[in-house]
Amino acid sequence: MIVAQQKADIIPAQRRNVILELLRQKGVVSVHELSDAIGVSLPTIRRDLDWLAKSGAVHRSHGGATLKTTPGTTFEPDYHISSKIAREEKATIGKLAADRLQDNQSVIFDSSSTVYEAAYQVVEKGLKLTAVTNDIRIGELLAGNPSIHLLVSGGSLRPGSYTLIGEPGSSFLKGLHVDVALMGIHAINQSSCCDTSLEVAYTKRYMAAAAKQVIVLAHASKFGHVAFFDAFDVDEKFEIITDRPLAPAILRALEEKGATVTIAGNRKG
């Protein structure tokens, strides 16, 4: 349950995070419900909803809002919004992904809020790894574990995120060979994994090609959609970890390509 903070203590970013969590829990929330739950005026809530709608996180209606779960082909919300959506589900997916790893492996940690949860579990478990990441937030997290040998790919920071893209990171990733890659993705349509940015899609393609095993960490809302550019197709070296059973047609397409699909929580494929 969300417990409202005192009006004087809450800042706009915190209010919007609470709104997103309430929408995730309830699906549809009215302006009056949000005002009562958070303890701020109706005009303040309307301004927050307008801001979230402009950012692409919610569908706005006259009396409230619903959470926007269908990703656009080229639009991606800023990290501080996407990281607040389905946090419990992402944590469950990340924990199972971390359980797949073993001491002394080399592992790529893709830039993703769900992969961040896996990295957090890796630190908690104290695993001894050689870790590569293109995410400065994940890099900071992994740097706190002295048993991890950390390499950061380099490049330019993508606006609105913690993702490094471009050179010298691309050349570094092209020459890399690792045991496992933990990958996030914007959309999965049948067996094709896509992203909103050409540079991000190429980065993910290099990461997937570098790994003996690829584990895609994908919240259920990612499936059945397309994004602007194909990053990679799945095959027998892929495991996809998600939080809910997939539509039969999507599951069949993934399994026909040889991929394993695992539902975090019940660990059934």
Side-chain angles (χ1 to χ4, degrees):
M1 291 289 294
I2 297 289
V3 178
Q5 298 182 38
Q6 294 298 318
K7 181 177 178 180
D9 296 333
I10 197 165
I11 63 173
Q14 291 172 322
R15 284 199 314 269
R16 293 161 189 164
N17 290 343
V18 172
I19 290 170
L20 287 171
E21 182 61 21
L22 286 167
L23 283 168
R24 189 192 69 80
Q25 291 176 7
K26 303 182 71 172
V28 180
V29 183
S30 72
V31 171
H32 288 277
E33 286 178 291
L34 291 170
S35 176
D36 290 342
I38 301 173
V40 294
S41 68
L42 294 176
T44 297
I45 291 295
R46 291 190 181 101
R47 286 194 297 271
D48 285 337
L49 290 177
D50 289 341
W51 188 93
L52 289 167
K54 185 176 180 181
S55 300
V58 305
H59 289 293
R60 186 77 165 87
S61 65
H62 176 70
T66 60
L67 194 64
K68 184 175 181 180
T69 58
T70 303
T73 60
T74 59
F75 179 81
E76 185 172 359
D78 284 354
Y79 182 93
H80 76 276
I81 289 180
S82 62
S83 65
K84 299 296 185 283
I85 297 173
R87 291 183 67 178
E88 291 182 10
E89 292 87 343
K90 290 177 180 180
T92 302
I93 293 169
K95 184 177 187 308
L96 181 54
D99 288 343
R100 295 287 192 260
L101 304 180
Q102 301 174 13
D103 282 339
N104 302 315
Q105 285 184 317
S106 52
V107 181
I108 289 174
F109 291 83
D110 182 25
S111 184
S112 154
S113 58
T114 314
V115 174
Y116 180 90
E117 298 294 340
Y120 176 82
Q121 291 296 327
V122 163
V123 172
E124 288 292 295
K125 290 161 68 75
L127 288 176
K128 300 176 182 178
L129 301 175
T130 296
V132 178
T133 189
N134 67 325
D135 186 298
I136 58 175
R137 188 167 179 251
I138 291 176
E140 181 182 28
L141 175 65
L142 295 175
N145 185 348
S147 63
I148 291 178
H149 176 55
L150 177 64
L151 296 89
V152 178
S153 62
S156 301
L157 187 65
R158 187 184 183 204
S161 75
Y162 295 92
T163 308
L164 297 172
I165 55 176
E167 296 295 346
S170 295
S171 294
F172 170 70
L173 292 169
K174 283 188 218 179
L176 203 60
H177 302 280
V178 300
D179 296 310
V180 183
L182 301 183
M183 305 291 299
I185 200 67
H186 188 74
I188 303 176
N189 184 38
Q190 304 295 349
S191 61
S192 179
C193 297
C194 321
D195 219 283
T196 57
S197 157
L198 180 63
E199 286 187 299
V200 171
Y202 269 119
T203 299
K204 292 180 185 292
R205 185 176 299 179
Y206 302 146
M207 288 177 168
K212 294 177 185 176
Q213 179 189 13
V214 180
I215 303 176
V216 179
L217 285 61
H219 180 254
S221 64
K222 305 284 187 177
F223 293 86
H225 312 294
V226 293
F228 186 58
F229 199 84
D230 286 343
F232 49 80
D233 288 335
V234 304
D235 56 30
E236 62 277 358
K237 78 175 183 178
F238 281 75
E239 179 181 10
I240 297 169
I241 301 178
T242 187
D243 61 300
R244 294 198 301 271
L246 304 181
I250 295 175
L251 178 62
R252 183 167 56 251
L254 293 169
E255 291 180 338
E256 285 175 355
K257 290 288 186 176
T260 300
V261 177
T262 304
I263 311 302
N266 63 13
R267 306 203 178 195
K268 293 180 181 178

